[in-house]
């Protein structure tokens, strides 16, 4: 190698190193999976996405401690683990069934406001004469039977047990079996806990830290060596999925790299050329990552991984250079450069459709792939030729002449009939299967069946309700949301009594609206009136009236209180459920009523009628997610159609012949239709990853078609093109066929789609190719 190529190679290498260093210091990888959720347009979309990203169900971890130990030992372990986690800021709530821990010490704010927010029958309505008499008799009976010290101490200030009844209202109606004061499984072999994380469900780094803290806390237990810890829940599964994806991707990447390297070394018989051919791909990755980082401030990890996969077509560019450059025929190389640049331009336009979507993750992916692909093509065109070893000659391949001579040549008419047949087959498949799009995101799960079964078992042991359906209210003010939820309470209770729902959770049960609190405050008796009632109610009872001075003071104080607001509940007893059920949605307030046991059309109709009557909205999270995904597919398909028309126009301008345009587009159309039909037949429906893969298939099909349909200088030129396209197809097929063996649905979908597309694109382009006369 002379001095000039060495300087160029060194400059290129230094440029890559500088880009790598810059990316290393500035690039911030994001594990936020919500980047791959559409932004949504309607209010329901925003509510749905807020729950997917940070809702109760998404942030809940289920914990099971198992061991062949007495139930008392399991209960002790549960309390020790819960105590270790409760002081950690990573968790909003740690519940293990311990009523004392759940209720905790007296919440001074709630105790003070008990007559404005507590159950009516034990609080505001319990201050009339007959109710006071019943309450005092009940307290006397409790004292005779031996009540807890806490109740004895609170008696002078709370003779109607208002605060106690308020605490009881916080206990879920559906709860696991309790033994020794904590939740244990029915067979007493498992201690159960429920943990709600502080971080958003889509923040995988935070979810991973939360999982690790639970595992570390368990390991620190003195009994840890005799017990086993099991976790379940969306956050735990997401962390495990990320680990599985990384592990399998690395293994498959190594295998694919080795396979492609072996193929290229055998084809070119030059390890130096193969290493040189990696530089455009590395350049594309570095430039793409830097550009996305500059535009977005971070790079989504999955977008980066998929982007590198999409850049698989960039491996074709060095192959074309190494195949056609030896001999240095200016006319031949000029046509090669034109086909290479045209293929790059149309692929970049195709990837631009991803940058045009409402998914931040897909937008990043489109920009990364487009920038990387153009970089790889330009460096292959303008830098690689100068670095080719002097005097290099392509090894003789006798099989090329035989293949070229024996290949049948299909006429365009045969291709048109094949395209029509493919469209008919696709139409028949769509008629049989219905919608081609997979809108159930659970079908993309990377969670092993054993983990799913464990999750179901723990949920059954916990009697965990289904929170996939909910009612919600959105308004500009907290007060309006509370009033709507409050008016719906009686009807919800009626539905529960009728068996149309098993249960519900509403903040209106614990925090009445300001209007309701004011009404309760106005109903409270004056001090003199209450003294008179209390004196009559205490007739023939042994209580000393002067002992009830704290009670009289509390009621009198309640008559002057301003309504309790959500903000005043922070860090208190009901801070966590309040934050979950009444939260900010951008600049508005969102009130949620999670529902359990909604089963059947009658239940849904009743809930929809209730929602309409009270100004609420009914949302099925699963159905809403499906509608959101369907909307995304419809939107994206429209953009892809526009993109396809734009690509066809670019090809028409470049090829300057309707006959040549038709011959180039025919194998591309056949490939895409048949690949899509295969996806539907084999995999049942097309998901997000299939759609991304079809863009890569389109890019490869354009590349093969343009090269095999260009005008050839002579038979040697035709054989070189056949060799380069065959080598490109073989190396790409090896890479994606290995990916198709993955057990991870997303990787398997990409691998199967692209591998099938490569075979179809190669053979249809080859059989429909016809060299153009020189002109």
């Amino acid at each position: 190698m002379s001095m000039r190529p060495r300087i160029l190679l060194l400059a290129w290498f230094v440029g890559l190193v500088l880009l790598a260093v810059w990316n290393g210091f500035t690039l911030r990888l994001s594990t936020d999976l919500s980047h791959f959720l559409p932004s949504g347009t309607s209010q329901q979309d925003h509510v749905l996405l807020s729950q997917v990203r940070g809702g109760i169900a998404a942030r809940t971890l289920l914990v099971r401690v198992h061991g062949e130990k007495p139930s008392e030992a399991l209960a002790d372990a549960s309390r020790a683990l819960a105590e270790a986690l409760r002081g950690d800021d990573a968790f909003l709530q740690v519940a293990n069934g311990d009523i004392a821990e759940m209720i905790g010490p007296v919440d001074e704010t709630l105790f003070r406001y008990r007559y404005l927010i507590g159950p009516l029958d034990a609080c505001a309505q319990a201050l009339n004469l007959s109710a006071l008499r019943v309450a005092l008799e009940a307290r006397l009976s409790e004292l005779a039977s031996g009540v807890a010290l806490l109740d004895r101490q609170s008696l002078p200030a709370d003779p109607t047990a208002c605060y106690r009844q308020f605490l009881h209202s916080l206990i879920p109606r559906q709860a696991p079996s309790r033994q020794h004061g904590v939740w244990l499984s029915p067979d007493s072999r498992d201690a159960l806990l429920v943990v709600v994380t502080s971080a958003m469900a889509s923040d995988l780094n935070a979810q991973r830290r939360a999982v690790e803290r639970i595992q570390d806390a368990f390991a620190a237990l003195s009994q840890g060596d005799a017990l086993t810890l099991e976790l379940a829940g969306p956050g735990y599964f997401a962390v495990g999925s990320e680990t599985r994806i990384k592990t399998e991707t690395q293994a498959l990447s190594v295998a694919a790299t080795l396979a492609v390297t072996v193929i290229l070394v055998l084809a070119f018989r030059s390890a130096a050329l193969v290493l040189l051919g990696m530089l455009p791909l590395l350049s594309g990755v570095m430039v793409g990552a830097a550009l996305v980082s500059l535009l977005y401030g971070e790079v989504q990890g999955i977008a980066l991984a998929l982007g590198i996969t999409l850049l698989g077509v960039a491996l074709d560019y060095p192959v074309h250079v190494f195949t056609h450059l030896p001999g240095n025929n200016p006319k031949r190389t000029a046509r090669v450069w034109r086909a290479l640049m045209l293929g790059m331009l149309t692929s970049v336009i195709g990837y631009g459709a991803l940058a045009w979507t409402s998914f931040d993750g897909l937008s990043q992916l489109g920009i990364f792939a487009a920038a990387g692909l153009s970089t790889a093509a330009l460096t292959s065109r303008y830098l690689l030729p100068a670095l080719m070893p002097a005097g290099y000659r392509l090894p003789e391949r006798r099989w090329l002449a035989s293949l070229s001579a024996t290949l049948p040549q299909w006429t365009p008419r045969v291709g048109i009939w094949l395209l029509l047949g493919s469209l008919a087959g696709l139409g028949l498949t769509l008629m049989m299967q219905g919608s081609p799009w997979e809108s159930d995101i659970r079908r993309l799960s990377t969670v092993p069946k054993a983990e799913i079964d464990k999750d179901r078992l723990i949920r059954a042991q916990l009697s965990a309700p289904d929170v996939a359906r909910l009612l919600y209210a959105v308004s500009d003010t907290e007060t309006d949301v509370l009033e709507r939820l409050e008016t719906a309470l009686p009807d919800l209770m009626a539905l529960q009594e009728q068996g149309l729902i098993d249960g519900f959770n509403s903040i209106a049960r614990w925090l009445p609206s300001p209007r309701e609190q004011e009404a309760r405050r106005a109903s409270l008796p004056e001090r003199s009136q209450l003294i008179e009632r209390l004196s009559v109610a205490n007739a023939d009872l042994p209580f000393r009236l002067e002992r009830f001075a704290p009670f009289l003071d509390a009621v009198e104080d309640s008559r002057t209180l301003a309504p309790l607001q959500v903000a005043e509940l922070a860090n208190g007893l009901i801070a966590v459920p309040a934050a979950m059920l009444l939260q900010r949605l951008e600049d508005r307030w969102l009130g949620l009523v999670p529902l359990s046991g909604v089963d059947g059309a009658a239940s849904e109709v009743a809930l929809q009628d209730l929602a309409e009557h009270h100004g609420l909205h009914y949302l099925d999270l699963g159905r809403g997610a499906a509608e959101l995904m369907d909307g995304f597919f419809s939107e994206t398909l429209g953009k892809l159609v526009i993109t396809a028309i734009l690509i066809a126009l670019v090809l028409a301008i470049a090829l300057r012949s309707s006959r040549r345009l038709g011959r180039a587009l025919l194998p591309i159309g056949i490939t895409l239709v048949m690949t899509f039909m295969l996806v539907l037949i084999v995999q049942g429906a097309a998901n997000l990853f299939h759609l991304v893969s079809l863009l890569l298939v389109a890019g490869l099909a354009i590349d093969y078609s343009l090269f095999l349909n260009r005008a050839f200088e002579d038979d040697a030129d035709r054989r070189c093109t056949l060799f380069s396209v065959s080598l490109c197809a073989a190396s790409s097929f090896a890479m994606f066929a290995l990916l198709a063996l993955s057990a991870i649905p997303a990787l398997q979908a990409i691998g199967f789609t692209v591998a099938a597309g490569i075979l179809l694109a190669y053979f249809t382009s080859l059989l429909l190719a016809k060299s153009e006369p020189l002109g």
Side-chain angles (χ1 to χ4, degrees):
M1 185 180 291
S2 62
M3 184 59 66
R4 183 181 175 186
R6 288 181 179 179
I7 294 174
L8 177 61
L9 181 60
L10 179 62
W12 193 355
F13 182 76
V14 170
L16 284 176
V17 170
L18 291 176
L19 269 175
V21 171
W22 191 87
N23 283 332
F25 279 104
T26 62
L27 187 145
R28 186 165 61 91
L29 276 180
S30 168
T31 58
D32 187 349
L33 297 179
S34 64
H35 285 302
F36 278 86
L37 294 172
S39 57
T41 56
S42 67
Q43 176 180 279
Q44 176 176 301
D45 293 342
H46 291 301
V47 173
L48 171 68
L49 293 172
S50 74
Q51 296 312 295
V52 171
R53 291 167 178 151
I56 299 172
R59 296 159 67 181
T60 298
L61 295 173
L62 309 179
V63 183
R64 179 168 65 179
V65 178
H66 176 78
E68 299 297 331
K69 280 182 164 289
S71 56
E72 293 89 343
L74 285 173
D76 291 340
S78 171
R79 276 187 284 268
L81 180 58
E83 182 64 27
L85 298 178
R86 285 194 178 106
D88 197 317
D89 292 339
F91 308 111
L92 275 178
Q93 186 178 46
V94 179
N96 68 337
D98 191 330
I99 299 297
E101 283 293 340
M102 185 181 76
I103 294 176
V106 173
D107 185 311
E108 296 298 336
T109 299
L110 297 180
F111 190 73
R112 186 184 182 197
Y113 274 87
R114 63 191 181 278
Y115 293 105
L116 301 189
I117 65 174
L120 280 171
D121 57 348
C123 298
Q125 292 179 353
L127 302 182
N128 59 54
L129 180 58
S130 58
L132 279 173
R133 175 72 181 192
V134 172
L136 291 177
E137 289 176 343
R139 301 296 85 76
L140 185 62
S141 176
E142 290 170 356
L143 288 171
S145 63
V147 297
L149 179 62
L150 177 62
D151 289 327
R152 287 176 179 270
Q153 292 175 336
S154 64
L155 176 59
D158 194 17
T160 65
C162 172
Y163 185 68
R164 187 206 307 173
Q165 293 303 316
F166 177 80
L167 295 179
H168 285 172
S169 71
L170 301 178
I171 301 174
R173 295 190 180 186
Q174 291 179 310
S177 60
R178 292 177 66 249
Q179 299 180 49
H180 310 294
V182 299
W183 291 332
L184 294 184
S185 61
D187 60 6
S188 304
R189 299 178 62 184
D190 303 307
L192 307 170
L193 300 90
V194 175
V195 177
V196 180
T197 63
S198 303
M200 299 290 278
S202 54
D203 187 346
L204 282 187
N205 285 332
Q207 292 296 323
R208 185 186 305 106
R209 288 193 294 270
V211 168
E212 290 172 351
R213 287 177 184 180
I214 294 174
Q215 292 169 336
D216 291 343
F218 175 77
L221 295 178
S222 59
Q223 299 168 307
D225 57 343
L227 300 171
T228 58
L229 176 73
E230 293 179 330
L231 297 175
Y236 172 71
F237 291 148
V239 171
S241 296
E242 183 194 34
T243 302
R244 280 188 293 273
I245 289 174
K246 283 183 178 179
T247 302
E248 189 158 335
T249 301
Q250 290 171 355
L252 290 172
S253 297
V254 170
T257 301
L258 289 175
V260 171
T261 301
V262 169
I263 291 172
L264 295 180
V265 168
L266 290 176
F268 293 114
R269 296 179 185 174
S270 170
L273 277 188
V274 174
L275 293 175
L276 197 60
M278 296 296 176
L279 292 180
L281 178 60
L282 290 175
S283 301
V285 171
M286 293 298 170
V287 171
L291 181 59
V292 173
S293 180
L294 281 173
L295 293 176
Y296 289 89
E298 63 181 14
V299 181
Q300 216 291 329
I302 294 178
L304 179 62
L306 291 179
I308 294 173
T309 301
L310 285 181
L311 285 182
V313 68
L315 289 174
D316 292 1
Y317 300 147
V319 170
H320 291 311
V321 172
F322 297 154
T323 303
H324 292 94
L325 196 63
N328 198 23
N329 186 319
K331 290 185 179 180
R332 178 192 299 178
T333 52
R335 292 189 176 94
V336 170
W337 301 149
R338 185 182 180 192
L340 189 149
M341 290 293 106
L342 186 56
M344 179 270 291
L345 177 60
T346 52
S347 295
V348 167
I349 292 173
Y351 291 152
L354 292 180
W356 197 11
T357 66
S358 58
F359 283 46
D360 279 349
L362 286 186
S363 297
Q364 290 188 22
L365 175 59
I367 294 172
F368 178 90
L373 197 65
S374 55
T375 300
L378 292 172
T379 52
S380 296
R381 162 65 181 89
Y382 293 104
L383 297 182
L384 278 187
L387 299 175
M388 286 280 292
Y392 174 77
R393 290 292 180 270
L394 197 66
E396 183 67 25
R397 302 297 181 195
R398 296 180 180 178
W399 59 270
L400 283 172
S402 302
L403 178 61
S404 181
T406 57
L407 270 177
Q409 286 293 305
W410 290 352
T411 64
R413 179 173 297 179
V414 173
I416 292 174
W417 280 109
L418 183 58
L419 178 59
L420 292 175
S422 301
L423 288 170
L426 177 59
L428 182 61
T429 303
L430 291 174
M431 288 176 60
M432 295 174 62
Q433 295 188 193
S435 173
W437 308 116
E438 179 56 79
S439 54
D440 186 353
I441 58 177
R442 292 174 298 180
R443 294 288 297 273
L444 294 179
S445 173
T446 60
V447 183
K449 184 177 182 301
E451 291 288 321
I452 294 175
D453 292 342
K454 180 182 68 176
D455 180 79
R456 289 173 179 164
L457 176 59
I458 298 178
R459 289 183 185 277
Q461 292 176 331
L462 279 164
S463 301
D466 174 21
V467 289
R469 295 175 177 87
L470 52 85
L471 295 170
Y472 70 89
V474 178
S475 182
D476 293 330
T477 65
E478 168 192 326
T479 298
D480 187 49
V481 170
L482 284 173
E483 287 180 352
R484 294 192 204 179
L485 298 180
E486 187 174 70
T487 60
L489 267 180
D491 288 343
L492 281 168
M493 292 177 179
L495 291 182
Q496 188 173 4
E497 291 174 0
Q498 296 167 23
L500 291 175
I501 60 175
D502 288 344
F504 67 94
N505 203 2
S506 174
I507 192 174
R509 279 178 160 170
W510 319 312
L511 184 64
S513 67
R515 182 182 301 173
E516 173 64 18
Q517 292 186 55
E518 289 170 353
R520 296 185 185 188
R521 183 183 63 192
S523 71
L524 297 177
E526 295 182 358
R527 189 182 188 95
S528 59
Q529 191 178 18
L530 184 58
I531 291 173
E532 182 180 348
R533 293 178 186 177
L534 187 60
S535 177
V536 176
N538 192 47
D540 303 325
L541 295 179
F543 295 108
R544 296 170 56 185
L545 291 182
E546 62 270 19
R547 293 284 306 276
F548 290 115
F551 167 57
L552 298 172
D553 293 339
V555 175
E556 186 66 21
D557 178 58
S558 298
R559 287 168 46 80
T560 64
L561 291 176
L564 184 64
Q565 303 288 327
V566 171
E568 298 174 77
L569 300 176
N571 302 317
L573 181 61
I574 61 173
V576 172
M580 290 178 176
L581 299 177
L582 186 62
Q583 53 193 245
R584 299 291 292 186
L585 183 67
E586 297 174 349
D587 59 344
R588 309 189 76 191
W589 283 94
L590 169 66
L592 300 171
V593 182
L595 305 163
S596 61
V598 180
D599 187 18
S603 299
E604 295 209 343
V605 169
L607 286 166
Q608 288 166 352
D609 290 344
L610 181 151
E612 184 177 353
H613 179 69
H614 295 288
L616 306 179
H617 304 273
Y618 174 69
L619 175 59
D620 182 326
L621 293 177
R623 189 182 304 154
E627 291 172 356
L628 196 61
M629 291 301 296
D630 286 340
F632 159 75
F633 281 122
S634 298
E635 171 198 346
T636 304
L637 281 178
K639 293 175 180 177
L640 287 177
V641 169
I642 297 173
T643 302
I645 294 172
L646 182 59
I647 289 175
L649 287 175
V650 170
L651 291 175
I653 294 171
L655 297 178
R656 293 175 296 182
S657 165
S658 59
R659 186 165 58 89
R660 294 175 65 189
L661 176 64
R663 190 179 289 278
L665 289 178
L666 204 52
I668 300 170
I670 294 170
T671 296
L672 291 176
V673 172
M674 293 187 71
T675 303
F676 189 39
M677 183 172 64
L678 276 176
V679 167
L680 297 183
I681 292 173
V682 176
Q683 305 207 325
N687 58 43
L688 179 68
F689 300 109
H690 292 119
L691 195 61
V692 170
S693 302
L694 284 171
L695 285 176
L696 178 54
V697 170
L700 293 169
I702 291 171
D703 182 63
Y704 301 162
S705 184
L706 287 177
F707 271 91
L708 290 173
N709 279 289
R710 69 181 181 83
F712 297 111
E713 184 75 18
D714 49 33
D715 284 343
D717 187 15
R718 182 183 179 88
R719 286 195 298 272
C720 276
T721 299
L722 180 58
F723 174 73
S724 67
V725 172
S726 300
L727 187 56
C728 289
S731 57
S732 297
F733 178 79
M735 177 189 304
F736 288 98
L738 284 170
L739 207 60
L741 300 177
S742 172
I744 297 173
L747 300 182
Q748 195 272 339
I750 295 171
F752 171 81
T753 306
V754 179
I758 288 171
L759 289 178
L760 289 167
Y762 174 71
F763 284 109
T764 53
S765 298
L766 200 60
L767 295 172
L768 289 170
K770 185 175 178 66
S771 63
E772 294 293 325
L774 299 175

